[in-house]
Amino acid sequence: MKVLYFDCSSGITGNMAIGSLLDLGIDTNDFLLEMNKLNLGGYSFCIEKEQVNETIGTRFEINISCCERPKNLSDVKELIMESGLCTVIKEKSIGIIHDILKAEARVRNKGIDELDLSSRDFLHLLLEIIGCLVCIKLLKIERVYSSLLYDGKGFADINGSLFPVPMPVVLEMLKDAKIPVINHENENALITPAGLGLIKNLAVNFGNMPAFIIDCVGYGISSKNEGRKNTLRAVLGDLYGTDELVMEEMAFMETSLEFANCNTL
């Protein structure tokens, strides 16, 4: 069984997640071909190797230009469902986006359908979610594990206003999620809504790396200088021996099989 382990000791963002997965050896042209199935123009990607301290990894950034953007959740669902992406990516991405927007609506004291999604920030989030799921499909990953999550402390600047770390939407998403989070000395927000949405909905367990035969290691470089390692590490390999899972994890296995089927289409 092909498994992936995210080492989130420097937090997790959508950009870092995609960078770490691309760094595992995904062909850039294959990635771009899949992303073009979204049928959304007006954006481009910057994918390049970069060294941070002693670590060489992949920096992934999204550049947004003028384009027609979805305005609300209904538009987002229509855009995704009418795309050429496989069924699993469509359904999984809508579920993750809905989870994030539900938390955002609570923080803003609005209904989820009242949120204005025409901003560049939301388009970044949308492309990060789709991009990460595309990478998982291309790598034929069947199960995802994660370390404990690490966030910083202090205050984060959100659209010109200072908010305590963890960010309000991130904290709202963590309610009742049973995901362990550790705050360390870094004076920055290290977990973004996109990063948390992905790891919350993909990982079957949070803790130590499971026993598996390691094939390769990838590093996603953050676009911000956040101190520490400034990277997200992704370890890819094959599960070793038997691994008993609780019943709640079986739903993810069904999704994994759908991903496998998607790869054969």
Side-chain angles (χ1 to χ4, degrees), residues 88 141-144 251-261:
V88 179
I141 294 166
E142 298 173 80
R143 192 183 295 174
V144 178
F252 182 85
M253 293 300 298
E254 294 175 2
T255 301
S256 300
L257 291 174
E258 292 174 354
F259 263 115
N261 292 334

Side-chain angles (χ1 to χ4, degrees), residues 6-259:
F6 278 120
D7 176 4
C8 303
S9 55
S10 292
I12 182 170
T13 70
N15 282 352
M16 290 169 69
I18 296 174
S20 68
L21 295 174
L22 291 172
D23 204 52
L24 289 170
I26 293 174
D27 186 286
T28 301
N29 290 328
D30 290 342
F31 173 75
L32 296 177
L33 186 64
E34 286 291 320
M35 292 301 294
N36 286 338
K37 294 179 181 179
L38 187 58
N39 297 323
L40 179 69
Y43 68 89
S44 62
F45 300 133
C46 176
I47 303 172
E48 57 185 20
K49 288 286 187 178
E50 185 167 324
Q51 181 169 348
V52 175
N53 299 323
E54 300 300 319
T55 301
I56 297 177
T58 297
R59 181 189 294 277
F60 176 85
E61 293 185 351
I62 301 171
N63 301 308
I64 305 292
S65 57
C66 295
C67 65
E68 185 175 349
R69 305 169 192 167
K71 297 179 176 61
N72 51 47
L73 183 57
S74 178
D75 288 347
V76 173
K77 290 180 178 178
E78 182 179 354
L79 172 67
I80 294 173
M81 293 308 296
E82 292 184 355
S83 73
L85 297 165
C86 76
T87 302
V88 179
I89 292 180
K90 289 178 181 180
E91 295 177 351
K92 202 70 177 176
S93 62
I94 289 174
I96 294 172
I97 290 168
H98 188 274
D99 189 27
I100 296 171
L101 294 182
K102 182 172 64 174
E104 175 108 10
R106 288 175 180 168
V107 169
R108 295 178 178 272
N109 195 28
K110 291 184 176 182
I112 193 169
D113 294 320
E114 297 178 282
L115 296 175
D116 181 8
L117 307 182
S118 62
S119 68
R120 288 172 178 254
D121 288 343
F122 177 77
L123 195 53
H124 270 267
L125 184 146
L126 171 64
L127 292 169
E128 288 171 3
I129 300 300
I130 298 291
C132 188
L133 294 176
V134 162
C135 289
I136 288 176
K137 173 196 170 184
L138 292 173
L139 291 168
K140 297 180 172 60
I141 294 166
E142 298 173 80
R143 192 183 295 174
V144 178
Y145 294 87
S146 174
S147 69
L148 305 182
L149 302 187
Y150 287 77
D151 207 344
K153 64 178 183 179
F155 294 85
D157 188 336
I158 304 176
N159 298 324
S161 300
L162 291 178
F163 290 89
V165 177
M167 292 188 288
V169 175
V170 168
L171 205 57
E172 187 68 31
M173 291 174 65
L174 287 169
K175 284 171 51 179
D176 302 321
K178 298 181 180 179
I179 299 175
V181 181
I182 299 173
N183 290 89
H184 55 59
E185 70 279 2
N186 197 303
E187 294 282 348
N188 289 281
L190 304 182
I191 301 176
T192 64
L196 179 58
L198 286 163
I199 205 69
K200 175 183 176 182
N201 287 275
L202 294 178
V204 299
N205 189 53
F206 294 85
N208 295 328
M209 187 184 301
F212 67 98
I213 308 300
I214 296 174
D215 291 334
C216 51
V217 181
Y219 295 89
I221 308 297
S222 172
S223 60
K224 297 180 180 179
N225 183 16
E226 294 161 343
R228 288 175 67 89
K229 292 186 298 183
N230 205 34
T231 60
L232 172 67
R233 181 167 61 178
V235 185
L236 182 68
D238 293 292
L239 200 63
Y240 177 76
T242 59
D243 182 28
E244 296 295 331
L245 292 177
V246 295
M247 291 303 295
E248 288 80 4
E249 295 170 352
M250 297 309 295
F252 182 85
M253 293 300 298
E254 294 175 2
T255 301
S256 300
L257 291 174
E258 292 174 354
F259 263 115

